[in-house]
Amino acid sequence: PTCDEQSRLLAMQFTSAQRALSLRRNCLHNSLALLDFLSRRGADADIIFAVTSSPFRAHCWIQRGGWILNDAPDAIAPCTPIL
């Protein structure tokens, strides 16, 4: 598999394990944990920090190229990346 496909498959494994453990959803903690999970398996990705202005909200997710690995496109659509 390509690097993007490998990252997507690993992210799906991570998400499945997370659901099985019924972990509370927190975008920052989950994104940092997924980034570490990917890194330990030789897959790289970027953490994206973003905000919305009305109402103000901060959000983050993991992305590899054009693939969003731990969120849904409609959930991040109103967000403006800042880092």
Side-chain angles (χ1 to χ4, degrees), residues 13-83:
Q13 289 175 356
F14 179 85
T15 301
S16 293
Q18 223 178 8
R19 285 185 187 131
L21 295 173
S22 298
L23 296 176
R24 198 179 82 165
R25 185 140 170 86
N26 174 297
C27 66
L28 180 59
H29 294 145
N30 288 343
S31 293
L32 292 173
L34 175 56
L35 199 60
D36 182 63
F37 179 84
L38 293 171
S39 175
R40 290 174 186 264
R41 285 153 184 81
D44 63 335
D46 297 309
I47 187 167
I48 308 297
F49 293 97
V51 295
T52 61
S53 59
S54 183
F56 178 79
R57 181 176 73 99
H59 189 52
C60 64
W61 63 89
I62 301 299
Q63 194 166 316
R64 166 72 185 183
W67 293 101
I68 301 160
L69 301 180
N70 66 334
D71 214 329
D74 59 329
I76 67 164
C79 298
T80 302
I82 58 171
L83 181 65

